Amino acid sequence: MNKLGCHVSMSAPDYLLGSLAMAQSQDANCFMIYTGSPQSIARQPIDKLKVKELHEALKQNHIPIEDVIVHAPYIINCANSEAKKRNFAKVFLAQEVDRVNKIGAKYLVLHPGSNPDKELGCKYIAEAINYVNKNNNHVVICLETMAGKGNEIGSKFEELKSIIKQVENKNLVGVCLDTCHISDSGYDIKDPSATLKVFDDIIGLKYLKVLHINDSLNEKGAHKDRHANIGEGKIGLKTLKEWVNYPMVSKICKILETPWTVDGPIYKKEIHMLLGK
Ligand code: FE
Ligand code: FE
Ligand code: ZN
């Protein structure tokens, strides 16, 4: 079955069970959560999140726990040039990986970070991952491809490759490819096979673990990172449909992070559009 889902909330009182219910209400067969607010580092204790109940419910619904993706908060910058802030990010990332381990999930999506010196930034990010992996042998940190706003690292496949090269345990690092971000960063994504060939040549397809399927408000190369609803942006339904239905990525979780309307998310409609139903 083609894995296609969406970002869902995780909040009181049902936490992870509520996330699964929300995903199912949108006809998603995989989903992505933040363990708390993406813009904050405040986190609920893990024993409140209904982990056991989630596992039981997933089993009943034949959804593997690997199809529950976690996204780290945006505000941590493992590439920060200030040592104190960089260390803070590293320690927080280790705690986040510990939470993901306790949830039992496998993939943690991470915005690599920013630094005006890209090479140094890549080194710092790899250092943070190596530090985290001293106490981790399960969670795969998936570096997200970025739009290239400001000093963001990860808008070029070469930068992600540089980080991966410096990570000691290659089994615990991967990539999350975001269609909006790579279009914004300047890649031509009209033909998934051509884009994935470039990805394969530079990074290696075996590192591709998650896809984010978003339309973009802006033209290719705009470096803006403004997501649009499917078919309402500059990428368009035709291209996004080709990505979602590209056989090579059918077993990789594809997650929508498209804007919500005043009435809430429209993932269900978008999922059906993308699958051609
Ligand atoms: Fe992201
Ligand atoms: Fe994304
Ligand atoms: Zn984005």
Side-chain angles (χ1 to χ4, degrees), residues 152-274:
E152 256 172 15
I153 291 168
S155 68
K156 294 195 174 68
F157 294 162
E158 285 83 357
E159 291 164 6
L160 299 179
K161 182 209 174 146
S162 160
I163 300 167
I164 292 169
K165 242 179 111 177
Q166 300 174 74
V167 169
E168 284 152 16
N169 189 339
K170 308 282 190 249
N171 296 321
L172 298 177
V173 66
V175 173
C176 167
L177 186 151
D178 186 311
T179 54
C180 166
H181 296 178
I182 64 168
S183 171
D184 274 31
S185 78
Y187 289 96
D188 189 336
I189 68 162
K190 280 205 174 56
D191 175 4
S193 73
T195 313
L196 288 171
K197 169 82 170 66
V198 176
F199 184 99
D200 193 30
D201 288 345
I202 299 170
I203 302 178
L205 271 177
K206 68 170 181 180
Y207 289 107
L208 183 62
K209 305 294 186 192
V210 183
L211 282 148
H212 284 169
I213 304 293
N214 302 304
D215 212 327
S216 175
L217 278 182
N218 296 288
E219 297 286 354
K220 175 166 86 83
H223 303 294
K224 287 279 206 307
D225 190 4
R226 299 277 313 279
H227 299 188
N229 285 106
I230 304 301
E232 314 253 304
K234 303 290 182 190
I235 299 173
L237 176 62
K238 184 177 174 281
T239 297
L240 292 169
K241 228 176 149 165
E242 277 177 37
W243 276 86
V244 164
N245 297 290
Y246 193 61
M248 196 192 275
V249 300
S250 71
K251 292 198 163 54
I252 296 177
C253 291
K254 293 166 288 296
I255 304 289
L256 298 174
E257 302 173 295
T258 48
W260 294 19
T261 69
V262 281
D263 301 316
I266 55 163
Y267 298 133
K268 185 174 179 168
K269 179 182 148 204
E270 296 180 304
I271 286 171
H272 286 216
M273 275 164 68
L274 287 164

Side-chain angles (χ1 to χ4, degrees), residues 85-105:
K85 291 184 181 165
R86 195 165 68 238
N87 268 319
F88 177 83
K90 180 172 92 172
V91 170
F92 183 87
L93 183 63
Q95 291 166 356
E96 182 77 351
V97 165
D98 185 51
R99 272 186 286 274
V100 180
N101 263 312
K102 284 175 176 149
I103 291 170

Side-chain angles (χ1 to χ4, degrees), residues 32 34 71 74 109-111 144 146 178 181 212 227 257:
M32 184 178 80
Y34 289 82
H71 196 310
Y74 315 140
V109 175
L110 175 73
H111 291 186
E144 184 163 352
M146 301 307 288
D178 186 311
H181 296 178
H212 284 169
H227 299 188
E257 302 173 295

